Amino acid sequence: MKRLLCAFAAISLILAGCGNEPAESSVLIPDVGEAYVENTDESSDSGKKKKADDTEISEDSDSSTASTGLSESSTADSNNDDDSSRISDESSSVSNNGDSGNSDSDESIAPTVSKSKDETPKKTEKPKEVYYLEGIVYEVHDGSLLINETELRRVEVGFSDKKALKNVNPGDKVEITYDGILAESYPAQAHNAYSVTILESADKEYKLHRFSHEDLAFSLLLPKNWTSKDIEYPQEGDFTDWGIRFTPDGASGNLDISWHSAAAIKDPYDKLPTEINGNSAVQYSKTGKWKFYVFDNNYIAANNFFGTDENDIYEEELNFILNTLEFI
């Protein structure tokens, strides 16, 4: 009997299972982890993939993300490089325009700064205080001038810049700037001159001539068209020891510069104390006949044009020549 009951129950159970499918919610799914995932059917193209693929996607995603990050970083670096390059170019451009210096310019500036601290200024650099010389140019040399200064008389002036003398000629009246230092010599010397300005240009070509006899000597500026020769005086009754006669081309008159060991002027003349180029003298004149200057050292400068039409023609030149007369 027990056997019949058990068999009947088993049959009942079998019949019950075949007639009704269990609800999906009642199905128990074993927790088998990855094994379950491996056995699950692939999803459709609607989007979901199996977890293994998700893991790969995640890795790809991370890799992609990393790749993207690297790409962005590379781009940023590239941009930075571009910016850096642009800044460098701009810096270079600024340097070239003189607004800022580069390393080369800094190196070139350094010695100059060092020199300015350790060394005295160059001769071409003007100090805060400058001094002036003014006078007539006697001679132009290579880098120096010999001038007849208004107060100091002869001064030799040296220039560090030879180009400053390019347009200067004998006979020009000039103004010179210098450092104020004069060497005690004859002539006086100013070694450090900065500039020369021509106040009046010579109207003719002049040259400085020197004349000497034994220990007697003088010099003067003479126009190019004037000639010179020794004075020839009669030996008896004449008190002229030595002299030079100057005559312009084509003229009958002349200018005599002579020295006399003894001077005796007996005829009545009009006398006038005067000064010629810093030398004290007495002017002797007689209307329509004679005019000359007697200096303290017994030199005589005689204008033999006086009283003639040629005097009016050459008077300006005569005065200029006499104002350059120096006894040396």
Side-chain angles (χ1 to χ4, degrees), residues 211-218 231 233 238-245 256-263 293-302 327-328:
F211 303 90
S212 62
H213 176 72
E214 297 179 356
D215 58 347
L216 306 170
F218 68 91
I231 295 176
Y233 284 104
D238 185 71
F239 58 89
T240 301
D241 292 277
W242 168 74
I244 304 293
R245 174 163 289 171
D256 292 347
I257 307 293
S258 56
W259 182 81
H260 308 267
S261 57
Y293 303 94
V294 178
F295 297 93
D296 294 342
N297 56 8
N298 286 344
Y299 268 96
I300 292 178
F327 303 104
I328 53 180

Side-chain angles (χ1 to χ4, degrees), residues 179-190:
D179 62 359
I181 300 174
L182 286 173
E184 296 181 359
S185 59
Y186 183 82
Q189 295 180 348

Side-chain angles (χ1 to χ4, degrees), residues 138-205:
Y138 277 175
E139 289 182 312
V140 181
H141 300 289
D142 186 23
S144 67
L145 294 177
L146 178 64
I147 68 169
N148 179 28
E149 215 281 327
T150 306
E151 298 178 358
L152 304 173
R153 308 272 59 90
R154 284 196 178 204
V155 180
E156 188 172 352
V157 186
F159 293 80
S160 57
D161 184 6
K162 298 178 182 179
K163 295 180 181 178
L165 309 180
K166 183 178 180 181
N167 298 317
V168 181
N169 297 294
D172 291 344
K173 184 177 182 181
V174 297
E175 180 184 76
I176 295 170
T177 60
Y178 76 116
D179 62 359
I181 300 174
L182 286 173
E184 296 181 359
S185 59
Y186 183 82
Q189 295 180 348
H191 296 292
N192 193 12
Y194 309 120
S195 67
V196 54
T197 302
I198 299 175
L199 303 178
E200 296 179 18
S201 296
D203 59 345
K204 293 178 176 63
E205 185 177 347

Side-chain angles (χ1 to χ4, degrees), residues 208-232:
L208 183 67
H209 292 266
R210 296 175 175 86
F211 303 90
S212 62
H213 176 72
E214 297 179 356
D215 58 347
L216 306 170
F218 68 91
S219 67
L220 48 73
L221 277 179
L222 201 65
K224 186 178 180 180
N225 64 326
W226 285 55
T227 58
S228 61
K229 66 176 184 177
D230 291 344
I231 295 176
E232 296 178 1

